[in-house]
Amino acid sequence: MSLTVLMNAGPWLSVPPPGYGGIENVIATLVPELRRLGVRVVLASVESSTLPVDERVSVFPDGQFAALQRPYNQVCGIAQAHLAGVVRELHARDDIDLVHDHVEAVGLATLAAMGPSGPPTLHTLHWDLAKHPALYGSLDGGERVRVNGVSASQLARAPQALREHSVGHVHLSTPLAVDADRRPRPEKGEHLLILGRINPGKGQDVGARLAHQVGFPLVLAGPVGPYHRPAELAAAGDEARQNPDVRFFLDEVAPHVDGDLVRWVGTVAGQERDDLLASARASLFPLRWEEPGGTAVVESLALGTPVVATARGCLPELIEHGRTGLLTADEEELGELVLAADLLDADECRRVAAQRFTPAVMAQRYVELYQRVRQLASAP
Ligand code: UDP
């Protein structure tokens, strides 16, 4: 296929990311598969990105992630400086068939403002936008600009202006969802796992109470605000409480963390993360927000660990109740479901992930959307 796509990753982190980096991870997973399908990829990112691509565009030498703590107008200023570089590049050449943009709000607005002189653009929404309608204002003049969600439920909750420009959704994928039948089966341990940022929306407090109720060990893995290790958080003292996720952890979760039945291990990565996930008896998602995409959900299935969750956000799209996990609308029922989860088949979880959530499936779907966006842009 002869298609040249400018993939706009933004200025925040290199691709692949050095550690945390949801959006940059999605791009690092997607791009090699697109190139395998014959798509030429021009990556707009920071100079330190190492992802193999056909060409690069960058304004900043390194990721500007630390600047995200600054006031919002300064954050926008950095995004705008990066986007000005992208727009300059687009004006200077005529071989870009489509821009695939991932820069929240500012990216879409800037590309829409190019009007008819801009290339067709697909902007991927990565967040739950229901509570932030103002972030995306009007898309007037942006007829060549379309959006996609990472789940149907995320799109259904998105502001009207975005839904009017939507071409559908593409579920997230994981490179772990390959060769599922050939990978050795890890021994299952006793523990339940909650993998994710410690945050009220992810419901670690519910999970911790539930572990004491059913008497199963629970491992909480993930950062608390900017703190990746228990020792780092302890050393930060009272100042750390300025962060709302730290306050949530200290007030609502830590009282249940006894270091024995319930443990917080901090951020896990690489093989340690995969082993912890693969050996868990179930992954818990006691959600209190509408999970938009759920990378950790598909990772859990790919590693053969069934999911027990509240049926919020994208969970009912990703999990087949009774096959790959157990879902309930009622938080009080999670305990019973955890007990029943041992009956679910780990191999079935891996097989479903290898059919539905591979990088190849995601790339194929994006190529279809690219074609649709180009068709819409060329329609009279
Ligand atoms: N993650 C990780 N180590 C941790 C906690 C989370 O590697 O200790 C990864 C997790 O495997 C997933 C990502 O962070 O790839 C979180 O993405 P998800 O969509 O589940 O949640 P988000 O944080 O974007 O709401």
Side-chain angles (χ1 to χ4, degrees):
M1 176 191 328
S2 96
L3 189 67
T4 299
V5 172
L6 185 139
M7 186 72 63
N8 188 21
W12 308 118
L13 291 164
S14 50
V15 186
Y20 170 81
I23 291 173
E24 293 76 10
N25 263 325
V26 171
I27 294 169
T29 303
L30 173 63
V31 164
E33 293 297 329
L34 287 176
R35 295 180 79 217
R36 217 161 281 153
L37 294 172
V39 176
R40 273 177 52 77
V41 176
V42 180
L43 179 67
S45 171
V46 291
E47 262 170 59
S48 53
S49 286
T50 55
L51 184 75
V53 289
D54 298 285
E55 278 181 71
R56 288 164 204 286
V57 181
S58 51
V59 170
F60 293 96
D62 299 305
Q64 302 295 303
F65 191 71
L68 286 171
Q69 308 286 349
R70 292 194 203 148
Y72 188 64
N73 62 340
Q74 290 184 28
V75 170
C76 285
I78 293 172
Q80 272 153 357
H82 168 86
L83 280 151
V86 171
V87 169
R88 259 195 313 277
E89 183 77 12
L90 292 173
H91 279 310
R93 55 198 287 177
D94 61 2
D95 64 329
I96 303 290
D97 298 305
L98 179 129
V99 178
H100 187 173
D101 178 54
H102 299 263
V103 179
E104 190 176 82
V106 185
L108 186 56
T110 307
L111 292 157
M114 287 185 82
S117 71
T121 294
L122 177 65
H123 172 89
T124 297
L125 305 169
H126 287 276
W127 204 242
D128 177 29
L129 296 160
K131 296 202 186 87
H132 307 282
L135 207 55
Y136 285 88
S138 133
L139 293 178
D140 288 352
E143 279 74 24
R144 294 161 73 76
V145 169
R146 304 284 157 177
V147 303
N148 79 279
V150 290
S151 67
S153 87
Q154 178 209 29
L155 269 184
R157 289 167 50 79
Q160 173 86 7
L162 292 179
R163 274 185 282 125
E164 281 168 4
H165 283 73
S166 155
V167 285
H169 67 273
V170 185
H171 285 140
L172 296 172
S173 81
T174 169
L176 297 169
V178 288
D179 293 337
D181 285 333
R182 269 180 275 157
R183 190 183 296 131
R185 289 187 184 81
E187 287 272 307
K188 281 290 179 193
E190 289 295 307
H191 66 278
L192 303 166
L193 176 68
I194 303 183
L195 177 69
R197 290 175 286 121
I198 312 272
N199 172 273
K202 304 272 183 186
Q204 282 90 352
D205 55 331
V206 180
R209 281 197 300 274
L210 183 145
H212 286 287
Q213 178 196 325
V214 297
F216 289 171
L218 169 68
V219 177
L220 304 174
V224 176
Y227 304 101
H228 291 282
R229 299 264 145 258
E232 268 175 43
L233 177 61
D238 270 356
E239 203 177 297
R241 287 187 70 89
Q242 286 173 11
N243 182 293
D245 289 345
V246 171
R247 289 200 297 278
F248 165 69
F249 177 72
L250 294 178
D251 298 342
E252 312 291 336
V253 185
H256 307 286
V257 174
D258 56 5
D260 185 20
L261 198 67
V262 180
R263 291 185 298 139
W264 173 48
V265 297
T267 302
V268 290
Q271 198 60 47
E272 185 194 3
R273 181 197 66 172
D274 295 356
D275 290 346
L276 202 54
L277 197 45
S279 61
R281 67 197 309 162
S283 274
L284 262 186
F285 293 87
L287 301 170
R288 291 226 196 74
W289 78 325
E290 307 304 325
E291 183 77 34
T295 312
V297 175
V298 300
E299 289 166 349
S300 182
L301 298 185
L303 291 172
T305 297
V307 165
V308 174
T310 35
R312 300 192 69 155
C314 64
L315 267 290
E317 291 168 55
L318 303 182
I319 297 300
E320 292 163 64
H321 180 77
R323 187 180 180 203
T324 53
L326 297 169
L327 301 179
T328 174
D330 180 1
E331 203 172 281
E332 299 298 319
E333 275 179 20
L334 285 170
E336 275 166 52
L337 298 191
V338 161
L339 297 173
D342 285 349
L343 301 173
L344 297 172
D345 181 3
D347 286 341
E348 193 63 3
C349 294
R350 273 192 287 261
R351 270 196 292 277
V352 168
Q355 278 162 10
R356 292 186 59 197
F357 303 120
T358 62
V361 166
M362 178 170 71
Q364 189 57 50
R365 178 92 178 104
Y366 269 115
V367 167
E368 285 162 21
L369 291 195
Y370 295 164
Q371 275 155 355
R372 177 89 187 113
V373 172
R374 294 183 69 213
Q375 258 170 14
L376 287 168
S378 61

